[in-house]
Amino acid sequence: MVSTLGVAVVGFGWMGRVHTQAYARVPHHFPQLPLRPQLVSVAEEVPGRAEEAAAQFGFASTTRDWREVAADPRVQAVSITAPNFLHREIGVAMAEAGKHLWIEKPVGLTATDAGAVAGAVAEAGVQGTVGFNYRNAPAVQTARDLIASGELGTVTHIRIRLFSDYAAHPDGALTWRYEKERGGSGVLGDLASHGADLARYLLGDIASLTADTAVFIPERARPTGATAGHTRATGGELGPVENEDYVNCLLRFASGARGVLEACRVSVGEQNNYGFEVHGTKGAVFWDFRRMNELSVSRGTSYQDQPVATVYVGPGDGEYGAFQPGAATSMGYDDLKVIEAYRFLRSVAEGTPHGATLDDAVHSAAVVDAMARSAQSGTWVNLV
């Protein structure tokens, strides 16, 4: 028997649109799911944006105040896609109102913020899913299975990279993303949080780390109007960039493995160059987000001069079969969010977490906080 679940989206920038489209697509890719999301309300403070969302996607009502969503009895689940500095306040309020949460990362600006939302979710007995979308790629899940099966031997080290140019232009507007009070730790929370989650998802807990950070574009022009995404601005008053453009980090895992995590938002010539390389005593596995449906795998008994093969994921890998009937047919970024939506709704339907949880968000935030402390102190920081 199929029932409906009233959902709302709070914050309708690019990510709010992605969540909304994922809700619409879930029934087509996962018809076995006993819940059908119903778009009840959209909250967005920018004038006219919520009304545009309702006209395009069919939300039943709009508001400029997210508190009206928390008080709306029609809403049973909420996507929180507002700016990072609002995540704690909105997340705690929605959980206390009995709403299930699908919340984007980072969950607030600090591990304390993430812990507050996690605590509210646990206290209310609702489900909480977090937007660590890269772990949803079928190839990433297959890589994790390869590692867990021992086919690569004992994992010795991992390298994770997250390079992008979204902030590389010097005319990029000085939006909330570049302020500590509203944007937190910059690229640490924006990109390195994904890397921290992937590291733990693949290899387990991080025991300690040491990090270095830098700001490469120290000033930007303030915008003169509403912004969305990575808006450019010229002629406005210049202001300081308060958070990090770049981070590199050495990792030590509880398993004894070592790692390197590097992230940058101002890498000219790099467009979403995200991926990892995992090496073990018998083999290795490599993944590049830009070739999302492929893995490069080395395994066998040769050790030296051992070849690397390209493996195309197929219907037996992760949730790939919900999208394509045969291997080597491409999936894209939005498909990862459909998988995320499915796992969120399945969590609600079954009362059991599926996918990335608030606990995962707390662990990722703790790693990000430790990076910031290490960069400031110049020392190793222990996490466990």
Side-chain angles (χ1 to χ4, degrees):
M1 182 177 178
V2 177
S3 58
T4 60
L5 184 79
V7 302
V9 175
V10 175
F12 207 82
W14 169 66
M15 188 54 71
R17 182 177 295 270
V18 172
H19 276 229
T20 302
Q21 291 170 166
Y23 283 129
R25 291 178 58 193
V26 161
H28 303 288
H29 294 282
F30 299 96
Q32 75 278 14
L33 188 68
L35 280 179
R36 292 291 183 270
Q38 182 179 12
L39 300 177
V40 171
S41 182
V42 55
E44 171 57 62
E45 66 177 11
V46 176
R49 191 178 286 175
E51 289 74 17
E52 291 175 6
Q56 182 175 1
F57 295 103
F59 287 97
S61 60
T62 66
T63 179
R64 291 182 63 183
D65 186 351
W66 60 262
R67 294 169 185 81
E68 292 184 9
V69 173
D72 191 335
R74 301 173 301 165
V75 176
Q76 298 159 285
V78 180
S79 279
I80 300 175
T81 55
N84 301 348
F85 65 94
L86 295 172
H87 285 190
R88 175 176 179 165
E89 182 183 7
I90 298 174
V92 169
M94 293 298 176
E96 289 178 345
K99 319 293 188 187
H100 303 285
L101 303 184
W102 178 13
I103 185 169
E104 277 304 316
K105 45 56 58 189
V107 180
L109 303 182
T110 65
T112 300
D113 288 348
V117 179
V121 165
E123 179 69 21
V126 296
Q127 294 297 317
T129 295
V130 180
F132 289 124
N133 39 261
Y134 300 110
R135 64 155 63 191
N136 297 326
V140 173
Q141 186 165 337
T142 298
R144 186 186 192 220
D145 293 342
L146 277 173
I147 294 165
S149 72
E151 285 199 54
L152 307 184
T154 301
V155 171
T156 54
H157 59 283
I158 183 172
R159 184 162 72 102
I160 300 173
R161 69 187 184 281
L162 298 113
F163 299 145
S164 186
D165 63 357
Y166 65 80
H169 202 292
D171 291 340
L174 188 69
T175 63
W176 60 267
R177 292 183 180 276
Y178 303 101
E179 301 173 0
K180 281 191 177 295
E181 186 175 346
R182 298 194 296 166
S185 55
V187 77
L188 277 70
D190 198 17
L191 292 182
S193 61
H194 278 298
D197 181 67
L198 281 174
R200 181 168 173 266
Y201 182 69
L202 293 169
L203 300 191
D205 287 337
I206 296 168
S208 60
L209 61 82
T210 185
D212 185 32
T213 62
V215 177
F216 295 134
I217 302 178
E219 288 186 321
R220 295 180 182 271
R222 300 185 187 279
T224 57
T227 61
H230 305 291
T231 305
R232 293 183 188 175
T234 57
E237 178 188 357
L238 291 178
V241 172
E242 299 175 349
N243 53 29
E244 292 77 10
D245 288 331
Y246 171 84
V247 61
N248 65 53
C249 184
L250 299 179
L251 306 170
R252 292 175 180 165
F253 291 84
S255 66
R258 298 298 195 262
V260 176
L261 191 162
E262 191 177 14
C264 185
R265 65 188 180 187
V266 297
S267 296
V268 175
E270 300 281 14
Q271 295 86 41
N272 299 331
N273 181 0
Y274 308 151
F276 57 76
E277 302 149 18
V278 179
H279 293 266
T281 54
K282 296 195 300 182
V285 61
F286 315 93
W287 180 72
D288 186 329
F289 168 67
R290 299 164 301 176
R291 304 177 71 90
M292 192 176 77
N293 306 288
E294 300 177 15
L295 285 174
S296 296
V297 181
S298 179
R299 50 189 165 183
T301 57
S302 299
Y303 300 101
Q304 187 177 2
D305 299 326
Q306 185 162 284
V308 177
T310 298
V311 176
Y312 299 100
V313 296
D317 299 301
E319 306 294 349
Y320 182 96
F323 298 85
Q324 302 296 344
T329 302
S330 296
M331 292 174 62
Y333 174 87
D334 284 10
D335 296 329
L336 301 185
K337 302 307 277 190
V338 175
I339 294 171
E340 205 165 272
Y342 162 67
R343 290 175 175 170
F344 171 51
L345 295 171
R346 184 181 173 192
S347 299
V348 174
E350 299 178 4
T352 302
H354 294 278
T357 66
L358 267 301
D359 181 62
D360 295 314
V362 171
H363 278 87
S364 174
V367 171
V368 168
D369 284 3
M371 288 180 189
R373 295 199 306 275
S374 175
Q376 186 174 33
S377 67
T379 62
W380 283 84
V381 174
N382 294 324
L383 286 100
V384 294

